[in-house]
Amino acid sequence: MQAAQAGDIDSFGKLCEEYYSPLVAVAYNALGDHQLAEDAAQEALARGLVNLRKLKDVRKSAPWLAQICRNVACDMVQSQRPSAAAEEISGTSGDCQAHETAQIVRAAIDRLPASMKEVVILRYYNNYSYKQITAMLGLPKRTINGSLTRAKRKLAEHLRRRGVPEDML
Amino acid sequence: MKTEDTDNKLDSVIRTAIGREDVPFDFGQWRHGHRAAIEQFQAQCVSGESLNSSQMSLLRRLRWSPVFRFAVAAVVVLVAVWAVSHLGSPFDVAPAYAFTDAPEVLARAATIHASGWRYFPGHTMPDGSAIPPVPIELWVDLVNGCERQTTTGLSAGKDYVHVGVGELIQNSQFMFRLDHTEKTSFFFPRGIQAGAEGLVDRSVRLLLGDFAALASAVKVGDEEIDGQECEIWQWQRDSQVAGPAFRTRFWFSPATGRTKRVESWMKWGPADWQLAQEYTRIELDLPLGEGIFAMETPVGYTAMNTPEAAALPPSRPFNLGGYSDGRCSLSYGAARSFTLADGSVIWGWWSIDKMSQTPREAPFADLVFGGPLPKVPIEFNALVPGGEPSDVTYWGHHLTYTSKSYTDGGLILTEWVLYVPDETPAETVEEYDYDALYVFNLDHTPHLKISLPVPYGRRIGTAEDFDRWVLPAIGETSDDGQVPAGLTFDRVLQLAEQIREAHAREKGIERP
């Protein structure tokens, strides 16, 4: 990061490669659309670069970029067509039960409190480790763990009420 | 109580619902699409602008802190005692410098010349071989505040590597970039650190890096360079959560206080250290050859702009946000903003609906100077002071508009607005900038919330300022670079005054 701050674009490129994927997940949390989330992450990196030299604590670069990405995504909030997204995510449209379950799960995740939802998205969108989530959000592992546990408990309850078979929970 | 097994099943259900393959990232493509941001960043780097103040001034603060002075005094005494006991009388030896004097010795020079090589650690050619290093050179005239340095840029993909080489020349007014790869030249305005003092800090940092880091350097060896005994000092920072580790080595002559060589290394994870840059020759007080700092476009190169147009960064339709809901596809962006001495604000912005069949020029027909704003999809009709809540509102009045065709945004019509406060704003407005208010001119209300801060911008106090800064900013948003006729400082001030009188009449306030 220090090299990037000093003007080494290639070092910034390394950071981009490191952070791009989790930034997409952060943006996806707000936007619910993969393509828009990628646009938001790319825009966040551009805004991050322009403001890079204002960053005082390089250890907080990841949560700093995540916050920029949240801001960008907030500006891009859109109402998407759920059917299109569902097709894209669940794969085969013929698998009706899986399709329906995926929709129920996404709806349940949408109902989670914002901070909890972000942790869930980061954990499952690209399968990030606790360590990666900790670095990205700048939160202690204990907090991440607690958020995920509570989120999963809420999700399980919601899914159970919606008739998702117990053996899937 | 849940078991590990049940948790895994739920994990799998969630992952199936929202999981996605790792998202690939192509930095080369990103660079191509975000040139404006990169140029802005590079301009900051060369001007020293915006580097956080804690890094900028740490050594200076350290230097003057009582603790530091005491520590220095204690070290001096200890060294003196050790020297007397081991080397004899201190008057028998030449005056010696400590390594931490290196920045000061460089800063006292009249000129600095350094040459060496830049490498590209972490990257290889598509066939796996090393990317050839680029020779680099630095010339600094510390007396007159001029600098010339080699710049490099690398973009790489799976099957290509592109190394761009250029030079950046700067004086007290401009930065002039020569791109030897594209054969172009470009003028940038100098940043806030223009002047000899800023130049000294920046140039010394180019060679030595972060001053504060020097205090934690350790001596790792000795070597003779050009017949002078040099101490090798090393500073190292381990890698953080993300990013490489850094190591810098300095060859320092304690007899002269001069730094003779500097190497910068980088390391990713368990990989070996890789050389990123080296200045193999550093010379002070050399005479300057003619034309070293000349800002002239060489024969065969294309001048991308002129010094006059360089007062402002290059403009392009910088898209601040977007929104799409099946009924509209909105984009909006902003040009520059300025605050006039009377407190009113000039700001340019644009918004479009890509799904609209209406010609983009249509809302701009029949606009009048000082009248309502165009009914574009998102109309930024007012500003409020940023920071704490305020009762002041800056209402917008049309000044002029410009149009420019972009390859990646089509025709963009930028609306230039005069925002006049309806009450006297607080003095903190300069610190907190402004927030934009807006209305939608659509047949439905989109689920879009815009949080758009508008910078206070440069303060415009005179007609000369207006002509120098505002008009070129407006001109840069038009195809021909021209500003619509009739826009003058006096006319804008008169309009602002008329609007203030109208505000006062509305509120029944008697004005002096």
Side-chain angles (χ1 to χ4, degrees):
Chain A
M1 176 57 89
Q2 281 190 332
Q5 278 191 316
D8 185 345
I9 287 290
D10 296 323
S11 295
F12 183 73
K14 294 276 182 193
L15 290 176
C16 290
E17 285 162 12
E18 181 89 22
Y19 293 142
Y20 180 65
S21 219
L23 286 178
V24 172
V26 167
Y28 179 80
N29 176 41
L31 294 162
D33 179 284
H34 299 299
Q35 188 57 51
L36 283 177
E38 289 201 39
D39 290 348
Q42 297 208 9
E43 183 60 33
L45 290 171
R47 292 192 193 181
L49 178 64
V50 169
N51 290 288
L52 190 62
R53 291 166 66 80
K54 294 176 184 166
L55 177 64
K56 291 184 177 174
D57 188 347
V58 294
R59 291 168 301 180
K60 293 179 180 171
S61 53
W64 176 74
L65 275 171
Q67 186 54 47
I68 292 175
C69 192
R70 279 184 211 107
N71 292 340
V72 173
C74 279
D75 288 345
M76 293 172 64
V77 165
Q78 59 123 38
S79 57
Q80 64 178 55
R81 286 165 291 183
S83 56
E87 294 258 337
E88 183 189 341
I89 296 163
S90 61
T92 55
S93 55
D95 188 351
C96 291
Q97 189 183 351
H99 181 106
E100 192 179 328
T101 303
Q103 279 192 320
I104 294 170
V105 171
R106 284 195 295 277
I109 291 170
D110 274 340
R111 284 189 171 81
L112 290 173
S115 59
M116 210 181 266
K117 185 182 161 196
E118 190 169 67
V119 174
V120 169
I121 299 273
L122 275 167
R123 179 77 179 106
Y124 296 103
Y125 187 81
N126 267 345
N127 212 17
Y128 295 120
S129 67
Y130 280 45
K131 189 179 174 184
Q132 286 172 305
I133 300 172
T134 298
M136 202 64 206
L137 300 184
L139 297 171
K141 187 181 173 187
R142 195 175 48 194
T143 306
I144 303 293
N145 198 12
S147 284
L148 265 179
T149 303
R150 285 193 299 277
K152 284 166 69 176
R153 198 177 297 141
K154 278 174 177 284
L155 287 173
E157 282 169 9
H158 183 88
L159 297 180
R160 204 171 280 123
R161 283 202 300 272
R162 293 296 178 120
V164 173
E166 191 68 28
D167 63 353
M168 291 181 74
L169 307 177
Chain B
M1 185 178 166
K2 286 182 180 300
T3 64
E4 191 63 30
D5 181 46
T6 55
D7 268 347
N8 282 341
K9 283 179 182 171
L10 182 56
D11 287 345
S12 171
V13 168
I14 300 170
R15 200 165 284 119
T16 303
I18 66 166
R20 201 180 178 212
E21 291 295 311
D22 201 10
V23 189
F25 181 72
D26 184 342
F27 186 55
Q29 194 176 3
W30 182 90
R31 282 180 71 137
H32 185 73
H34 295 87
R35 282 182 183 165
I38 292 169
E39 284 173 354
Q40 193 176 342
F41 172 66
Q42 287 173 332
Q44 290 170 4
C45 292
V46 295
S47 68
E49 184 181 338
S50 301
L51 188 59
N52 62 73
S53 56
S54 62
Q55 280 187 9
M56 293 279 288
S57 59
L58 189 53
L59 185 70
R60 196 164 292 160
R61 279 188 274 134
L62 270 175
R63 203 183 286 163
W64 294 108
S65 73
V67 173
F68 185 73
R69 286 178 172 185
F70 176 77
V72 169
V75 169
V76 168
V77 169
L78 286 172
V79 168
V81 169
W82 179 87
V84 167
S85 60
H86 288 77
L87 303 173
S89 165
F91 302 107
D92 294 340
V93 295
Y97 291 86
F99 174 58
T100 47
D101 292 329
E104 199 62 41
V105 172
L106 275 174
R108 280 203 305 263
T111 67
I112 300 173
H113 174 246
S115 57
W117 297 89
R118 185 160 300 150
Y119 302 82
F120 302 95
H123 294 280
T124 57
M125 299 295 279
D127 64 3
S129 61
I131 298 172
V134 172
I136 55 173
E137 192 167 24
L138 171 72
W139 278 100
V140 188
D141 177 350
L142 290 162
V143 177
N144 298 302
C146 301
E147 182 184 284
R148 180 179 189 129
Q149 58 169 294
T150 309
T151 60
T152 59
L154 179 139
S155 59
K158 282 180 183 169
D159 52 1
Y160 73 94
V161 169
H162 174 82
V163 176
V165 181
E167 283 179 282
L168 194 83
I169 305 165
Q170 33 189 334
N171 59 27
S172 59
Q173 282 188 296
F174 294 108
M175 292 181 283
F176 180 65
R177 194 185 65 196
L178 281 173
D179 186 330
H180 294 316
T181 309
E182 300 288 334
K183 295 200 179 305
T184 58
S185 69
F186 204 104
F187 282 92
F188 290 94
R190 279 296 298 265
I192 54 171
Q193 283 229 336
E197 188 182 353
L199 181 78
V200 170
D201 266 7
R202 190 178 62 248
S203 301
V204 173
R205 192 174 288 106
L206 271 174
L207 286 170
L208 301 183
D210 185 0
F211 296 165
L214 300 184
S216 61
V218 294
K219 189 181 166 193
V220 294
D222 297 283
E223 190 177 335
E224 191 177 296
I225 297 180
D226 297 337
Q228 280 185 356
E229 283 296 329
C230 289
E231 299 171 343
I232 305 171
W233 289 77
Q234 178 172 295
W235 167 83
Q236 184 168 319
R237 201 197 74 178
D238 295 333
S239 61
Q240 303 293 306
V241 175
F246 295 93
R247 172 186 284 174
T248 310
R249 281 187 170 174
F250 309 89
W251 278 254
F252 173 76
S253 163
T256 63
R258 293 187 176 189
T259 305
K260 305 288 288 182
R261 182 190 295 173
V262 180
E263 290 179 354
S264 303
W265 298 74
M266 297 169 85
K267 179 178 186 292
W268 284 269
D272 292 335
W273 285 99
Q274 296 183 58
L275 190 56
Q277 179 176 288
E278 59 178 340
Y279 281 111
T280 51
R281 190 166 193 85
I282 301 173
E283 301 160 296
L284 306 185
D285 299 321
L286 286 187
L288 295 168
E290 264 192 43
I292 284 182
F293 305 112
M295 295 185 174
E296 291 168 1
T297 304
V299 175
Y301 284 55
T302 304
M304 302 299 286
N305 69 350
T306 61
E308 291 74 23
L312 297 161
S315 67
R316 64 188 293 266
F318 183 58
N319 193 345
L320 289 173
Y323 168 88
S324 177
D325 63 3
R327 298 173 68 183
C328 66
S329 177
L330 305 176
S331 290
Y332 59 93
R336 294 182 70 88
S337 51
F338 303 91
T339 298
L340 305 186
D342 70 353
S344 50
V345 178
I346 294 175
W347 178 41
W349 48 264
W350 56 269
S351 73
I352 54 172
D353 176 6
K354 292 173 188 167
M355 290 179 69
S356 171
Q357 299 299 314
T358 308
R360 291 184 186 171
E361 303 94 321
F364 292 83
D366 304 325
L367 293 177
V368 296
F369 183 78
L373 307 186
K375 300 303 171 193
V376 289
I378 306 170
E379 177 188 341
F380 294 99
N381 61 336
L383 304 177
V384 291
E388 296 194 358
S390 163
D391 292 332
V392 181
T393 304
Y394 293 64
W395 295 104
H397 297 261
H398 174 75
L399 283 181
T400 189
Y401 74 95
T402 49
S403 64
K404 188 168 186 173
S405 297
Y406 294 92
T407 53
D408 53 353
L411 183 69
I412 298 293
L413 291 107
T414 302
E415 166 68 5
W416 288 91
V417 180
L418 176 69
Y419 295 92
V420 182
D422 57 2
E423 289 180 30
T424 305
E427 289 179 1
T428 54
V429 71
E430 184 169 359
E431 186 179 349
Y432 291 108
D433 297 333
Y434 313 98
D435 290 323
L437 304 183
Y438 56 93
V439 292
F440 293 114
N441 295 308
L442 296 164
D443 58 5
H444 68 292
T445 304
H447 299 289
L448 170 64
K449 287 184 179 173
I450 299 173
S451 172
L452 183 56
V454 178
Y456 183 88
R458 188 177 288 275
R459 191 174 172 85
I460 305 298
T462 64
E464 188 185 15
D465 288 344
F466 188 85
D467 293 348
R468 183 176 179 193
W469 305 110
V470 180
L471 295 185
I474 296 173
E476 290 215 344
T477 57
S478 70
D479 276 323
D480 59 4
Q482 298 297 307
V483 181
L487 193 63
T488 65
F489 182 62
D490 288 343
R491 199 164 166 234
V492 171
L493 281 190
Q494 283 169 13
L495 174 62
E497 180 59 18
Q498 289 168 11
I499 295 166
R500 271 194 296 273
E501 281 180 6
H503 287 159
R505 274 198 304 275
E506 278 174 21
K507 296 186 176 184
I509 301 168
E510 197 164 320
R511 303 189 73 216

